[in-house]
Amino acid sequence: MKRHNDKFPDILTIDKSNMCELIDKYMFICLVLDELIFRKHFENENKVSYAFLFQRIKNKMTISMKNRPILIYDTWILDMKIMKVVKVAPLIEDDRTIIMLEITEKGEIAYQEQTYHQIYANLLSAKQSRVLSIIAMVISVLAVIVTILQDLVK
C-alpha cells in the first residue's frame, strides 16, 4: 500500500482487504473519539477505562469489526496513542492493572475538525465507488456481448 503522505494511506492504491481493514480502523477511531468527548464534556470524566469504553462502543461496531481478532483493537488504540489523540495510562487497583484512556488536546482538535470522521467517510466513498465501477464494467461488457449477438443474428 503506497502512502500519499506520512499520515494517511493513498486510497487510490489500496486493495480490497486493506480497504476493509482501514474502514474498520477509522470507524473504531471515530467511535473512541466520540465516546471520549462525550465522557469528558457531558459526564465530566477525563479518564475512561479501556474495558468500559470497549463495551460502550461494541454495540456500534459493524459485523466485520466484530469478526476481527481482539488484539487488533489494542493495536488501533496504540496507533491512536502514537498519533497523540489519546493518552494511555495504566491504573493499578487491587493488584490488577486497568488501562485508562484520556483524550488529548490534539484529539479534541481532530474531533472538532472531524479529521478522522472525514477519512472514514472518504474510505466508505472509495469503497462504494469501487463497487459502482465494477457494476458499470459488467454492464458495459454485457452491452457489448448483446450488440455482437444482435449483429450475428441479422
Side-chain angles (χ1 to χ4, degrees):
M1 174 173 43
K2 191 173 94 179
R3 295 221 170 237
H4 179 65
N5 59 31
D6 289 343
K7 287 185 178 180
F8 309 114
D10 184 1
I11 62 174
L12 299 174
T13 61
I14 298 173
D15 64 17
K16 185 179 178 184
S17 62
N18 284 341
M19 175 77 77
C20 291
E21 183 177 339
L22 284 172
I23 287 171
D24 288 349
K25 176 182 178 178
Y26 281 98
M27 181 181 187
F28 181 81
I29 290 171
C30 292
L31 290 172
V32 169
L33 288 176
D34 291 345
E35 190 62 33
L36 288 174
I37 287 288
F38 177 80
R39 292 276 154 213
K40 183 174 183 175
H41 292 287
F42 295 105
E43 304 287 331
N44 292 324
E45 297 176 21
N46 285 338
K47 293 183 180 181
V48 179
S49 81
Y50 176 49
F52 173 79
L53 183 82
F54 188 78
Q55 287 302 320
R56 291 277 299 170
I57 66 174
K58 193 162 82 170
N59 296 332
K60 299 175 186 173
M61 290 181 179
T62 62
I63 292 171
S64 67
M65 285 177 71
K66 290 180 181 179
N67 291 336
R68 295 205 178 272
I70 194 74
L71 289 177
I72 197 76
Y73 305 115
D74 298 340
T75 304
W76 293 343
I77 290 291
L78 180 61
D79 288 348
M80 293 177 72
K81 181 181 186 293
I82 291 169
M83 291 185 282
K84 298 183 178 163
V85 293
V86 296
K87 288 181 191 172
V88 178
L91 174 69
I92 299 173
E93 189 176 276
D94 298 330
D95 293 333
R96 63 187 182 119
T97 303
I98 301 171
I99 303 299
M100 302 297 287
L101 299 176
E102 180 180 1
I103 194 164
T104 63
E105 185 178 328
K106 184 176 179 180
E108 283 198 54
I109 291 168
Y111 178 81
Q112 290 167 353
E113 294 175 353
Q114 299 288 288
T115 304
Y116 297 102
H117 294 75
Q118 288 174 3
I119 294 169
Y120 173 60
N122 287 339
L123 287 167
L124 282 176
S125 177
K127 181 180 178 184
Q128 293 305 316
S129 294
R130 182 174 287 180
V131 170
L132 185 61
S133 68
I134 291 169
I135 291 170
M137 196 175 311
V138 168
I139 290 172
S140 63
V141 167
L142 289 174
V144 167
I145 292 170
V146 167
T147 304
I148 291 171
L149 288 176
Q150 281 180 342
D151 286 344
L152 289 176
V153 172
K154 288 181 183 180

